[in-house]
Each structure stands twice: as C-alpha cells, then as structure tokens.
Amino acid sequence: MKRWRCATYAFVLVTICSEATAQIRYSISEEVEEGSVVGNIAKDLGLDKATLKNREHRIVGSSKEPLFNLDKGDGILYVSRKVDREEICERSDSCVISLKTVLENPLEIHYVTIEVLDINDHSPVFPEKQKRLEIFESTLPGARFQLQPARDPDGGQFSVQQYKLSQNDHFRLEIKDRGEERKMPFLILQKQLDREVMREHKLLLSAIDGGRPAKSGTIEILIVVLDVNDNSPVFTQEAYSASINENTAPGTIVIQVNATDSDESANSDIVYSFGNEVDVNVPKLFSIDPETGEIKVIGVIDFEEKKTYAIDVQASDKGPVPLTSDKTVIIKVIDHNDNPPEIEVTSFSKSVPEDSRIGTTVALISASDLDSGPNGKVSCFIREDVPFVVSPSFQDNMYAIVTKSQLDREEKSLYELTIVAKDTGEPVLSSEKIVTVVVSDVNDNRPQFMLTPYTFYIFENNDLTTPVFSVRAFDLDDNDNACISYHIHRDSGGSSGLFLNINSENGDIMALKSFDFETLKTFQFHVVASDSGTPSLSSNVTVNVFILDQNDNAPVILYPVSSNGSAEGVEEIPRNVNAGYVVTKVRAYDADIGYNGWLLFSLQEVTEHSLFTLDRYTGQIKTLRPFTETDEAEHKLVILVKDNGNISLSATATVIVKVVEPKEAFAASDVKSSTKADEDTNVTFYLMITLGSVSALFLISIIVLIAMQCSKTTEYTSKYLQEANYDGTLCHSIQYRSGDKRYMLVGPRMSIGSTIVPGSHANTLVLPDRRRVSEEVRHASLYQKSHLLQGIPA
C-alpha cells in the first residue's frame, strides 16, 4: 500500500555517539497533515533497506495513539495524526518530542528529537462577550477601571500584542505590561459623565496578535451611568420600646424598626445596623437584621447585670455615598429568680482561743441576692454538726458565727464550716461557702516525760565535754505553750545534783566532774520540765544513775609488805624440803570489779627457774625440786601482779628466799611465829574491813535492783565459774542493762589450774527484764556492753 508523503523536511542533524547508539534531530510545523514525512532515519544513519528488515527496525515506548510512525521497509518517519503544539506543550517557548528507535542483532539504540514549530492558528479571545460597568455621574475624570485581558493560545509573536478602543468622547485606553506576554487594559475616564444627557455608553475593545496576517478578538463594554444619592432614610415611628424577660431564648424577636427612602434604585434600598455609639455589650446580646430591621436576642439577658437597654439603630441606603438616619430603641428587662444567694465574710477572727466562752463571735457574714422581691430574700445555716451556730443580726442579711459549746484545741484544732444560704424564690436557689476556723492554744497541758523514771548507766572517769545522757519531754500545747525548758531540782537531788548541769533547751545533761566508781556507785536526782506558757506549767521525773566500773585502779600488794611499806619480804626455808613445798603466798587486792579486778600472778624475775613455780591464780610460790648442795643459799623472786582490764594495770612484789639448814630453820621459825602472828592479825583485819565494805556495797546494789524490779516478775539465771576454792583476790560484782536483759558481772572465783574460756558468760548473772526499754537505756547498754565484755561476746 502506497502512502503520500511530503517531499522534503526542514533539516536533519545526525550525531554518531558510538557503534551502538546515534542521535537525530528533526523540526516540523504544527498542524501538518497526517502522513507528512518527518525524516528518513535509515538514510541519516547510513543503513540499507535489507538491514532494516532483517534487524527489525522499530520505535519503542510509543503510546496507543502515537504521533509518529516508522516505515520498517524504508526507515521513513512520518506523522500519524494531527500535531497541535498548544495541546502538546501548551504555552511553552520550546516544544520538543523525544523518540527512541531500536535495531537488533546486534542491538543498536537511536534517539530521535522532533521540535514542533508554532504557527498563528488561534485568535485572541476575551473571557466574556460583554463587560458591564456602573459609574456614578459624580465620578471625577482620571478614574481608572481595569478590564479583563484577552487570551491567545499561541505563543511568542503570535500572542496578543496590542488593544484598540472604539472612538468616543469620555474614555481612553491605557495598556500596562505585566510581564510573561501579559498586557492589562485599563479604561480611563477623560470627561465627567452626565446621567441626564446619556444613561448608557457602548464601547468596543479589540485585541490584536502579531501574526501576518494578524488575528483579533473583540468585547463590548456597556457603561451604565448611576444616579447621585441625595435623600436620607426616614423612620416610620417617632419612638420604639419593648419589654423582655431575662434569660429569653436566643433567636426571640424583640422589636422591628422600619424606614423609607425617596431615592430610586440602590439609593432607596435600606440597610439597618447598630449605631456607632452603641454600648460594646449590645452586639453580644442583640442582633439586627440588615434587611428587615428585626432586633433579636443572641446572648444571655441578665436582669441583675442591666435592667434597661437604650440601643441606637441606624438606617442607611445603598448609595455610593450612603446617607443614614438614627433612632433609639428602649428595651426593658423583667426579673426572674436565676441568681443564687452570695455569701461574703465581712469580719473574721484569725483564731479562737480554746477557752472561749459559749456565744463568742467568730465571724460576721453577709448573704445577699441580686434578684428582687421574694427572689432576693435569704436565710443561712451551718451544715455540719460543729460547736458553732449561725445567729441572725439586727441588720438585714447579716449573720454572726458564734460558739455553741466548749472548744478543745488538743482534740481538734481546725474546723471547716459549710455556710449554706437559701432564697425564697421559685425555684429555691442556694449557695455554699466554706469558712475555716482555727482554734488557738491555751496553756492547759503540762509537759510529759517520755519515760518515768529514767535509768542511765555511765562509766566512771567520764568525758566532761560531751553529754552523759539526755531526758526528753513533750507538751500537747502549741507554740510557746509547748516550748519546754529543763532544770535540775537541786533540793531533791541532794549532793548528786551538784555533779551535773542540764541544757535547758534540749535536756542534754553534762557532768561537771568525772565519777569514781570506787567512791560513788549510784545516785538519784530529779529533772523539772517547764513550758513557756502564762502561767507556766511543769512536771518532774526521777533519774536513776548507775556508775559502771573502769580499770583505773592498779593492784595493791597486801603481802609481802615490809616495815617501810614496800612490797618486799624474806622467807627462810629448810634445805631439805621436797618438791611442792609451799614457800609463801603473794596476796594482792584490786579496787576494780569483774575482769578489771581479776588478778593474775607471774614470775617476772627469778634466779633459778628450775627451783620455784608460781601459781598464776593464787599467787602461791612452791618448790619444783629438792635443793642440792650446789644451789645458792639465797634466791630473789620478783612477782608481777596484773589485772585483766582492757589496758592492764600491774604491781610487783619481791620475795627473798633464804635456804638454811634444818636446825637454823627450826630456830628461826620460833622467832618468826610471833612476828608472823602479828602480821597475820593485821592482814586479817584489813581483809575483813575490805570484804565487809565490798559486801555492803554489793548488798546495797542488789536491794536497789530488787526495789526497781518489785513491780514485775524477774527471773534470775546465775552463771558462775565452777571453781569455788579461790583464796587470792577479792570478789566484786556489778549489774547493768543491755536490750531486754539485765546482767550482774561477778569477779573471779578461781582455783589452781582453773581457766576461763573466752567468749563465755562464766562470771555473768543474767536478769531478764520485760519492761519496755527506752532508746537512752538501749544506747547506754550497748556502750556498757562493748566496754565491759570486750573479748567476751554476749
């Protein structure tokens, strides 16, 4: 099938990019007929027809209705349908279409660019056929009126290039360039219009493009001359007034105003509005229909806020220069019971003393209601069951809150009173207000100590820079009435009160001197706690103090003691004594108790270790073997006596042992027997005095403890060391408290060869105590326990 084709095309540009790709550019004009030849791709690429068939030369990626087709036999590219540049590229300056052709075996891709050239195929068109302009006859020359520009789909020089206005005496045309090929026409008034001469003017505006030949479009401009407004509106009534209920529903019509105008057309059309001088709240409550003049409710009408409204209404015509008239509309509001009573505290006492008499005024309140008549009559009462009541006063709507029973701040210090006020309207409305009443303190409570009595345990040789113990009291009152000061009652404390000083603010008690257990073991005094009220109230408490022993006494040698007071003695023994012979016994005494008074003996110095031995618990010196002829006749033994305190204290005794022949020993024994009898008599006397004193102190301590425990059941468990044959140092005891138990520390009862196992309570008497122990006692117990039983865990 043969197809007619155009013989020539504008130009061809072929660029060979590589062996496999090439780019070709063609140009065609829009609106060319279907079948027009665009270019010969095969020729431009240097391909023969046989190659085209064998390698399937074709266009790829084309749409369902392509603009171009490719003849596979001869490689000619032709137009397949009408090409409209304005449809394809709209108003773009450049319109380019890109195609891609493919050859296979081997694969080659060629790019074809087709530029579509514009032609002047469209005329300028205005958006409307006729433009109507209304101009008042009073408009001054020079007035400008913008006109709608014409539009030409063509681009470049083929778009709109100029406008022309038909000949007339009153108007001229002015063109303003807005860019992007847009020219905006303006109509300029040259000569003032006269409605009486001519009511209408008709002008013809033409738009011309730049084609050759040029194409154009026209629009008719109709100018209507308007009349000048020279008459004001007139209201039909001299006065307007109305009444409405408060809380009237929004949308309710209150009144309608009406006005007329003798002018024609728009000059006689009336628009209603509120005047410029109207109250700012009126537009929130009322609206006026601009066409009908109806005044409606749009907000909440409140009689209590305003009882009468005077509203300025303005009627304006619709002339170019509107003329107006004003009229005042009076609206009266009718009251309804829509306000609950209001409660106001006019006078109020910051606090009420708890000892106030019944009928004391606490506060003055006023109850008011914004409503009128029965709607505004109010009564008040207190909702809660409290020791207060509302009492009416002589003035209307004034009330007093007074006490109706006795107050007690310690029972309740603050009351929140709900005051209820009700009116007598229909329906009944009420309101509430909470009034807080503070009950102030009166000094009607004495200070109370946390414990009674107090019992404290302190070590002798105490530090004078820190408190030894503290007492605490509290007061149920408030502020100064609860501010407590402490002092020691000197009269009841005896001489022990002179040892102590108390901090008047916090109850810390300082010792003015260090205590000596050996001099004073227990004492009692009284502490007085007084508040700062007027008058001041006070109470006192008994404080029992027990002094605990420390290792502050060195052992005292009782035997041997020479005539000059030194611990030195001479013992003569026969040379023929056997092993185990008791040479003598060193006797010593320690004023401390417990481990502090438990003495141990050791040989510090001896001339011959193989001859003598010393029992570490009894102080007995014995021979280890019989004497020989080669042994010296005189031996010196230095015995060290030390206690078992944490820091041991010690003393030394020297024993000179003289070895004599048996005859000399017998003669000397007669001489020594008398001397020894005197010495034994003195030693026995001293021992009896010491034992009597210690026993008396021990009995006093036991009696005091029994007296303190007489109000409760006490079980005693005694744990002593089992050896009861001790005849060396004297035995002491002391009691102390730790936690829920009480302990009695007992001095050693040791026999020869006996030992004490570390960690045991072998010398402690346990006294369980079920009473509640205060924090001060527990702290003292822990402190005493750590010092007394160091090395012997409880």
Side-chain angles (χ1 to χ4, degrees):
M1 178 178 179
K2 294 185 179 180
R3 195 185 294 255
W4 182 87
R5 299 178 175 87
C6 291
T8 60
Y9 45 85
F11 64 88
V12 179
L13 177 63
V14 180
T15 303
I16 305 300
C17 298
S18 66
E19 293 182 0
T21 62
Q23 186 167 351
I24 306 171
R25 186 179 182 91
Y26 299 109
S27 295
I28 65 170
S29 296
E30 67 173 334
E31 305 292 344
V32 297
E33 295 181 2
E34 181 180 350
S36 298
V37 175
V38 179
N40 192 331
I41 297 176
K43 181 180 178 180
D44 294 334
L45 292 176
L47 302 173
D48 56 14
K49 295 181 179 181
T51 302
L52 296 178
K53 293 181 179 180
N54 295 334
R55 297 179 63 184
E56 296 185 2
H57 191 201
R58 67 185 186 278
I59 297 174
V60 295
S62 60
S63 62
K64 293 181 179 180
E65 295 182 6
L67 288 171
F68 305 96
N69 279 335
L70 179 64
D71 192 328
K72 297 181 179 180
D74 54 15
I76 295 176
L77 184 68
Y78 59 91
V79 178
S80 62
R81 62 183 178 89
K82 180 181 177 180
V83 178
D84 188 347
R85 183 181 182 277
E86 284 71 31
E87 178 186 345
I88 298 171
C89 302
E90 294 184 353
R91 297 180 59 86
S92 300
D93 292 335
S94 176
C95 184
V96 176
I97 301 173
S98 297
L99 301 177
K100 183 168 64 175
T101 64
V102 176
L103 290 169
E104 296 184 357
N105 299 321
L107 179 64
E108 291 184 19
I109 300 174
H110 303 289
Y111 296 92
V112 179
T113 302
I114 303 170
E115 181 180 7
V116 181
L117 303 177
D118 190 24
I119 64 172
N120 189 22
D121 58 341
H122 294 87
S123 298
V125 178
F126 285 93
E128 50 189 3
K129 295 295 183 181
Q130 187 185 60
K131 173 67 176 178
R132 178 184 173 91
L133 290 178
E134 294 180 351
I135 303 175
F136 289 100
E137 60 180 339
S138 60
T139 303
L140 298 177
R144 298 164 58 90
F145 305 91
Q146 182 176 330
L147 303 175
Q148 288 290 333
R151 194 169 185 273
D152 194 336
D154 294 323
Q157 64 178 358
F158 302 134
S159 62
V160 176
Q161 299 297 316
Q162 60 178 325
Y163 291 90
K164 290 185 178 180
L165 184 66
S166 60
Q167 184 66 33
N168 69 93
D169 296 332
H170 294 85
F171 297 93
R172 66 179 176 86
L173 189 65
E174 182 177 298
I175 307 299
K176 194 167 186 178
D177 193 353
R178 293 289 179 87
E180 297 181 356
E181 301 181 355
R182 292 183 61 196
K183 292 177 171 56
M184 189 69 65
F186 287 87
L187 199 61
I188 310 298
L189 180 63
Q190 295 186 114
K191 181 180 179 182
Q192 190 169 3
L193 302 174
D194 188 353
R195 180 177 175 276
E196 283 68 30
V197 176
M198 184 179 289
R199 293 175 175 268
E200 293 182 349
H201 296 267
K202 291 185 179 180
L203 305 175
L204 188 65
L205 178 65
S206 301
I208 305 170
D209 65 17
R212 292 185 181 182
K215 294 185 177 183
S216 64
T218 60
I219 183 174
E220 183 185 67
I221 302 174
L222 177 62
I223 299 173
V224 178
V225 182
L226 301 179
D227 190 24
V228 175
N229 185 25
D230 55 355
N231 289 286
S232 300
V234 177
F235 284 94
T236 58
Q237 291 182 220
E238 288 295 325
Y240 291 91
S241 63
S243 298
I244 59 171
N245 294 322
E246 67 172 327
N247 303 322
T248 297
T252 302
I253 298 175
V254 180
I255 195 172
Q256 182 178 12
V257 296
N258 188 30
T260 60
D261 195 309
S262 59
D263 289 328
E264 295 181 354
S265 188
N267 293 334
S268 63
D269 293 339
I270 307 299
V271 177
Y272 301 95
S273 63
F274 291 128
N276 295 328
E277 302 300 324
V278 74
D279 188 279
V280 293
N281 293 319
V282 167
K284 300 177 183 178
L285 302 175
F286 302 96
S287 68
I288 185 169
D289 191 304
E291 295 182 359
T292 64
E294 291 179 343
I295 298 177
K296 297 181 180 180
V297 176
I298 61 172
V300 178
I301 307 301
D302 190 356
F303 172 83
E304 291 70 37
E305 184 174 339
K306 199 165 186 179
K307 298 175 176 59
T308 302
Y309 293 91
I311 304 175
D312 292 332
V313 176
Q314 187 178 84
S316 303
D317 57 32
K318 294 183 180 180
V321 181
L323 298 178
T324 62
S325 296
D326 296 308
K327 186 66 68 175
T328 300
V329 178
I330 305 298
I331 300 176
K332 296 181 179 180
V333 182
I334 301 172
D335 181 42
H336 275 204
N337 188 27
D338 60 342
N339 289 279
E342 294 182 359
I343 303 172
E344 181 182 359
V345 179
T346 58
S347 177
F348 182 69
S349 300
K350 292 184 178 180
S351 61
V352 181
E354 59 180 320
D355 62 347
S356 298
R357 293 181 300 176
I358 297 175
T360 300
T361 300
V362 175
L364 293 176
I365 61 174
S366 64
S368 60
D369 196 314
L370 295 176
D371 295 321
S372 60
N375 297 333
K377 190 174 182 179
V378 181
S379 60
C380 289
F381 61 91
I382 297 177
R383 173 177 294 172
E384 296 84 6
D385 183 14
V386 290
F388 302 94
V389 68
V390 175
S391 175
S393 66
F394 296 106
Q395 297 181 1
D396 291 340
N397 296 331
M398 290 295 295
Y399 300 88
I401 300 177
V402 298
T403 58
K404 69 175 182 179
S405 60
Q406 197 65 44
L407 304 176
D408 186 357
R409 190 202 68 86
E410 286 71 39
E411 181 179 340
K412 191 169 184 179
S413 61
L414 185 143
Y415 292 90
E416 289 189 347
L417 312 180
T418 303
I419 311 300
V420 180
K422 288 185 177 182
D423 61 25
T424 57
E426 288 292 336
V428 175
L429 299 179
S430 65
S431 61
E432 298 178 355
K433 189 177 187 66
I434 295 178
V435 176
T436 301
V437 178
V438 177
V439 181
S440 62
D441 186 48
V442 173
N443 192 25
D444 57 351
N445 290 279
R446 296 179 181 275
Q448 300 178 27
F449 284 93
M450 295 181 178
L451 290 176
T452 178
Y454 279 92
T455 301
F456 297 104
Y457 300 85
I458 60 173
F459 283 99
E460 64 175 330
N461 305 318
N462 51 287
D463 186 7
L464 300 181
T465 61
T466 58
V468 289
F469 41 78
S470 299
V471 295
R472 294 288 185 272
F474 62 92
D475 197 312
L476 296 175
D477 293 322
D478 195 17
N479 297 325
D480 289 343
N481 296 332
C483 184
I484 298 175
S485 61
Y486 304 87
H487 70 273
I488 296 175
H489 193 267
R490 300 295 178 182
D491 295 339
S492 62
S495 61
S496 61
L498 301 175
F499 305 159
L500 306 170
N501 187 27
I502 189 168
N503 188 319
S504 61
E505 295 181 358
N506 57 25
D508 290 344
I509 298 177
M510 303 279 292
L512 300 178
K513 75 168 191 173
S514 294
F515 295 108
D516 184 8
F517 174 80
E518 287 71 34
T519 303
L520 179 66
K521 292 179 172 53
T522 181
F523 63 89
Q524 183 184 86
F525 64 97
H526 299 281
V527 174
V528 179
S530 303
D531 59 30
S532 300
T534 303
S536 177
L537 301 179
S538 63
S539 60
N540 62 74
V541 68
T542 300
V543 181
N544 298 307
V545 181
F546 292 89
I547 310 301
L548 302 179
D549 183 44
Q550 281 189 325
N551 191 26
D552 59 344
N553 290 280
V556 177
I557 306 298
L558 297 179
Y559 180 83
V561 178
S562 63
S563 58
N564 60 4
S566 63
E568 184 176 342
V570 178
E571 295 291 339
E572 293 182 352
I573 62 173
R575 183 178 290 275
N576 59 351
V577 296
N578 296 322
Y581 177 80
V582 176
V583 178
T584 187
K585 179 194 290 188
V586 177
R587 292 181 175 84
Y589 164 74
D590 194 316
D592 296 320
I593 68 167
Y595 284 117
N596 298 331
W598 179 15
L599 303 181
L600 296 177
F601 302 84
S602 62
L603 282 173
Q604 188 177 25
E605 183 183 338
V606 62
T607 54
E608 181 59 52
H609 289 282
S610 63
L611 276 175
F612 302 98
T613 181
L614 174 66
D615 189 291
R616 64 177 301 186
Y617 299 113
T618 64
Q620 283 186 345
I621 302 174
K622 296 181 181 180
T623 57
L624 287 172
R625 60 177 177 80
F627 290 93
T628 62
E629 295 296 332
T630 58
D631 291 330
E632 295 292 335
E634 184 174 311
H635 298 273
K636 180 180 179 181
L637 283 72
V638 179
I639 293 87
L640 175 67
V641 183
K642 66 176 183 177
D643 57 31
N644 268 293
N646 290 332
I647 300 176
S648 297
L649 302 178
S650 61
T652 58
T654 303
V655 176
I656 305 299
V657 180
K658 293 183 178 181
V659 181
V660 297
E661 296 302 326
K663 293 180 181 180
E664 296 177 3
F666 292 139
S669 62
D670 293 337
V671 177
K672 290 175 62 177
S673 61
S674 60
T675 305
K676 187 67 179 264
D678 294 337
E679 291 178 357
D680 289 345
T681 301
N682 293 334
V683 170
T684 301
F685 177 73
Y686 294 142
L687 283 173
M688 289 177 65
I689 292 175
T690 303
L691 288 172
S693 301
V694 172
S695 299
L697 289 173
F698 179 75
L699 288 175
I700 291 172
S701 300
I702 294 297
I703 292 170
V704 170
L705 288 174
I706 291 173
M708 292 172 62
Q709 303 298 323
C710 65
S711 61
K712 61 183 179 60
T713 304
T714 306
E715 295 179 359
Y716 295 88
T717 303
S718 178
K719 295 183 180 179
Y720 289 96
L721 294 175
Q722 298 302 314
E723 291 78 358
N725 297 322
Y726 173 75
D727 52 2
T729 59
L730 297 179
C731 180
H732 293 268
S733 67
I734 191 169
Q735 300 183 35
Y736 66 94
R737 182 187 302 276
S738 177
D740 294 334
K741 293 186 176 182
R742 299 176 59 218
Y743 296 91
M744 180 183 291
L745 197 63
V746 182
R749 291 177 174 269
M750 296 295 180
S751 61
I752 299 175
S754 65
T755 59
I756 185 167
V757 180
S760 70
H761 291 289
N763 65 333
T764 304
L765 178 63
V766 182
L767 305 177
D769 192 352
R770 294 190 179 89
R771 292 189 308 171
R772 182 179 179 182
V773 183
S774 67
E775 286 296 325
E776 292 88 345
V777 175
R778 283 199 290 270
H779 293 325
S781 301
L782 291 174
Y783 180 77
Q784 297 150 12
K785 187 174 180 181
S786 63
H787 286 72
L788 284 174
L789 301 180
Q790 188 169 8
I792 306 177

